[in-house]
Amino acid sequence: MVNPDFDVWAPNADTMRLLADGRELPMSRGQDGWWHVQHAALDGDIDYGYLIDQDTTPLPDPRSRRQPNGVHGLSRTFDPGSYQWHDAGWASPGLNGGAIYELHIGTFTPEGTLDAAAGKLDYLAGLGVQYIELMPVNAFNGTHNWGYDGVLWYAVHEAYGGPRAYQRFVDAAHERGLGVIQDVVYNHLGPSGNYLPRFGPYLHQGAGNDWGDSVNLDGPFSDPVRRYILENVEMWFRDYHVDGLRLDAVHAFRDERALHFLEEMALRVDNLAAERGGELFLVAESDLNNPRLITPRDLNGYGLSGQWSDDFHHAAHSNLTGENGGYYADFDSLGALAKVLQDGFFHDGVFSSFRHRSHGRPLDKSVHSANQLVVAVQNHDQIGNRAAGDRLTASLSYEQLALAAVLNLASSTTPMIFMGEEFGASTPWQFFTSHPEEDLGRATAEGRLREFSRMGWDPSQVPDPQDPQTFQNSKLDWSELGDGDHARLHRLYQDLLALRQRVPDLREPDFRNISVEYDEASRWLTVLRGKTAVALSFADGPSKVPLPLQEPVRVLLETGPSVPGGGVIQLPAFGAAIVSGN
């Protein structure tokens, strides 16, 4: 027998009833819009919902931990404290330059569950990554989705295995020396199953961002809304033992308060880390190129640990593929890539042709470190938001994919790998949804077509996100792992990640100790840190690349036959080498 307390913030309601285990229980109004039922005698985990005013259809709990029958159904109680953890010896190392592996639970394995993904943890540990970053797992309508249409932020999507499977996954990861980062979405809610406005002013009605109404972070009654999110942040660390959170699109937050929501969040996480031990952290996705996000609070920053860097991706992609349309336009030069490697941001106050205005501001090299920037040559957005969802594998040779790997994994920033990238997966990663509502599904498909107009991509290449085959197409084909160039690329990724751990120069965090040289005409670029140089050739034929090292020079890793000597290294077409000198 358990005696749970049911509490819900519903300032919009005149009356509230709890429907629990088939019984209706009247709720009493407390202070500040909270409603309570105390010590309702109920057996075990039960299904429940809330009846607002004269409603006859119960709504799920805004803080629901389980939704076994979908986001429109009843919530189910869940006791996170009953799980027996086995990770007492684990302490998060923090955002220290170790590689991140981004994956989507639904397409990472054929089964598409957390338990099936846990079966791949030995593989990921053997690959040599430090963290696994899970794309959003909170409850959304339908069976499959990228996860950014979630509507119940406290619940783990049932088709993935629910909250208990999530605990098992993190526990197993920590046992193998792998940390876990959870991608969370606090800037908007999905279009189906969002009942929060029925309870209270969770949203700024009519004040929207790219995905709908903004979350109410600074308006009337915003204190409980902020607590709703901040307590969700703490939930991931306390109840699920994650090591970090990736915050989706923080540029979409609307907050004019003196204490910005991101600063308040970072302070909470730092306090929690001091309590629990280890280096818990927050990483923001932001397109603002605003150093304040990752500036310490004592220097008037928000104090986040890191942020994604799209500039690195765009410069790498444009130089690898030759694409220079849309938002790639400013990055079509080795000079742009060199600036990103040496300064962190490309748009640091310079003009952005895509935005038609100047953008960003410089990082302070005495304050900000390179490993605060999470970079990638491929990620879910940059693949999935292409018309056909095509990976680099679709257009680049093995040699070019190997060059991309060295560029990413031998950078001083924190490198991220998107699932399957490490073996050159041929499967696409496409945008997929499973909205049960026909009108919503059609609107989503039509919206995708409109999105690509500025990039000049062929709309006929855009798959229907509602077609179940689009989801199936995006699942990894693990049989490729042992074949030919797939296996060869996989070995290269293992070697690169092992070398990154073994050679401290490759993880040099101080921008002031990074030197970049390049030749635009000859298409080569070198990165020097300490006594280690990374030589990269983007030329389609053999080239001689000057080495800023003292002889004798030793090759630590090469993607193809390379010959050092006489102050240069001879590289094959699209070749790369990591070398050390005296």
Side-chain angles (χ1 to χ4, degrees):
M1 179 76 71
V2 293
N3 294 297
D5 292 342
F6 290 88
D7 306 289
V8 64
W9 185 62
N12 288 356
D14 293 321
T15 63
M16 289 288 294
R17 290 162 292 149
L18 170 72
L19 178 67
D21 209 21
R23 292 186 292 158
E24 281 191 25
L25 302 169
M27 304 187 74
S28 59
R29 185 195 296 270
Q31 293 183 338
D32 303 321
W34 283 89
W35 295 79
H36 312 278
V37 171
Q38 296 185 353
H39 305 299
L42 300 162
D43 291 324
D45 284 335
I46 55 109
D47 292 345
Y48 70 100
Y50 293 109
L51 294 160
I52 299 177
D53 297 333
Q54 302 307 310
D55 284 356
T56 57
T57 301
L59 300 181
D61 184 356
R63 294 171 182 255
S64 170
R65 291 302 192 96
R66 285 194 65 188
Q67 290 297 124
N69 297 305
V71 297
H72 298 292
L74 292 173
S75 302
R76 182 170 294 172
T77 55
F78 170 74
D79 178 12
S82 64
Y83 182 77
Q84 298 298 311
W85 289 90
H86 305 90
D87 65 348
W90 168 261
S92 169
L95 199 68
N96 62 355
I100 299 170
Y101 188 95
E102 185 189 24
L103 66 87
H104 175 265
I105 289 295
T107 52
F108 182 57
T109 64
E111 300 87 349
T113 65
L114 284 155
D115 286 335
K120 293 286 188 183
L121 289 173
D122 287 335
Y123 164 81
L124 294 175
L127 181 62
V129 297
Q130 175 64 78
Y131 288 107
I132 305 160
E133 181 171 312
L134 301 182
M135 288 177 63
V137 298
N138 51 309
F140 55 82
N141 196 23
T143 57
H144 54 267
N145 190 296
W146 274 19
Y148 298 93
D149 281 339
V151 290
L152 288 167
W153 293 340
Y154 283 73
V156 175
H157 186 53
E158 201 71 16
Y160 293 161
R164 191 66 77 208
Y166 194 97
Q167 290 178 315
R168 290 194 296 267
F169 179 87
V170 177
D171 205 11
H174 286 171
E175 287 187 282
R176 290 161 175 81
L178 296 167
V180 177
I181 302 170
Q182 181 56 58
D183 191 345
V184 291
V185 184
Y186 298 132
N187 54 65
H188 75 286
L189 291 113
S192 179
N194 173 21
Y195 295 108
L196 292 182
R198 295 287 309 280
F199 289 88
Y202 283 87
L203 303 177
H204 274 300
Q205 299 293 336
N209 53 43
D210 290 344
W211 302 282
D213 290 335
S214 297
V215 177
N216 178 19
L217 298 176
D218 59 0
F221 304 102
S222 57
D223 285 358
V225 178
R226 289 167 79 107
R227 285 198 299 272
Y228 175 72
I229 300 174
L230 292 171
E231 289 169 9
N232 181 260
V233 167
E234 290 188 339
M235 176 199 79
W236 288 110
F237 292 109
R238 290 186 186 277
D239 296 345
Y240 296 112
H241 289 203
V242 302
D243 303 281
L245 297 179
R246 181 262 191 189
L247 308 173
D248 182 64
V250 301
H251 49 269
F253 287 155
R254 290 168 46 92
D255 184 12
E256 297 298 328
R257 290 201 189 191
L259 177 60
H260 193 277
F261 181 58
L262 288 173
E263 183 179 354
E264 187 176 7
M265 188 186 299
L267 179 60
R268 284 232 185 177
V269 172
D270 287 349
N271 290 339
L272 190 60
E275 171 192 325
R276 297 181 61 85
E279 298 290 331
L280 308 180
F281 56 90
L282 299 172
V283 178
E285 180 201 18
S286 171
D287 71 355
L288 300 178
N289 283 18
N290 184 356
R292 191 175 187 185
L293 295 175
I294 56 175
T295 298
R297 288 188 296 278
D298 59 3
L299 295 177
N300 200 33
Y302 295 157
L304 302 180
S305 296
Q307 74 150 88
W308 277 27
S309 172
D310 282 346
D311 285 9
F312 179 96
H313 169 271
H314 298 345
H317 185 92
S318 187
N319 280 283
L320 287 164
T321 67
E323 289 189 45
N324 58 9
Y327 52 70
Y328 295 133
D330 295 340
F331 299 93
D332 187 23
S333 68
L334 283 180
L337 182 57
K339 182 179 179 180
V340 170
L341 291 170
Q342 194 158 270
D343 298 334
F345 291 155
F346 176 79
H347 287 121
D348 55 4
V350 302
F351 186 78
S352 165
S353 62
F354 187 70
R355 297 175 179 87
H356 304 291
R357 60 169 175 80
S358 58
H359 185 67
R361 66 185 301 175
L363 293 166
D364 184 339
K365 294 184 180 182
S366 68
V367 172
H368 305 110
S369 62
N371 57 23
Q372 288 184 280
L373 300 180
V374 175
V375 305
V377 292
Q378 300 184 79
N379 63 38
H380 77 271
D381 266 336
Q382 301 300 338
I383 303 172
N385 286 333
R386 294 174 63 81
D390 51 313
R391 298 171 179 261
L392 289 177
T393 319
S395 57
L396 300 186
S397 66
Y398 168 83
E399 289 74 19
Q400 290 169 300
L401 294 173
L403 173 63
V406 176
L407 173 62
N408 187 24
L409 298 183
S411 70
S412 286
T413 45
T414 295
M416 188 170 71
I417 302 164
F418 184 66
M419 62 177 197
E421 172 190 327
E422 74 279 9
F423 61 85
S426 65
T427 50
W429 166 252
Q430 298 173 331
F431 182 73
F432 48 81
T433 55
S434 58
H435 298 302
E437 302 91 343
E438 184 177 339
D439 290 349
L440 181 56
R442 183 168 56 252
T444 299
E446 292 171 351
R448 291 292 289 177
L449 294 174
R450 289 193 297 270
E451 283 181 19
F452 298 124
S453 59
R454 291 190 69 186
M455 294 300 292
W457 285 325
D458 183 357
S460 68
Q461 299 298 309
V462 181
D464 180 0
Q466 284 286 107
D467 185 343
Q469 192 58 47
T470 304
F471 171 60
Q472 292 298 324
N473 290 344
S474 299
K475 285 181 177 281
L476 288 179
D477 179 2
W478 285 98
S479 69
E480 293 182 332
L481 180 60
D483 290 344
D485 282 345
H486 296 293
R488 185 181 172 197
L489 189 63
H490 179 246
R491 286 192 297 271
L492 176 64
Y493 270 77
Q494 288 180 307
D495 292 344
L496 275 165
L497 288 165
L499 190 64
R500 184 178 182 84
Q501 289 299 313
R502 197 164 65 245
V503 179
D505 283 347
L506 295 179
R507 305 189 309 277
E508 170 59 59
D510 193 331
F511 279 113
R512 294 169 296 187
N513 296 331
I514 302 170
S515 176
V516 182
E517 301 290 339
Y518 67 96
D519 186 308
E520 202 76 65
S522 300
R523 301 291 294 159
W524 60 258
L525 180 148
T526 60
V527 185
L528 176 67
R529 288 151 296 176
K531 296 181 179 180
T532 306
V534 179
L536 306 163
S537 174
F538 294 83
D540 59 5
S543 60
K544 291 184 178 181
V545 180
L547 284 179
L549 294 170
Q550 292 185 3
E551 299 286 350
V553 169
R554 182 165 59 98
V555 176
L556 303 179
L557 181 144
E558 59 187 3
T559 61
S562 59
V563 182
V568 301
I569 187 168
Q570 298 182 50
L571 295 178
F574 305 114
I578 301 173
V579 297
S580 67
N582 283 340

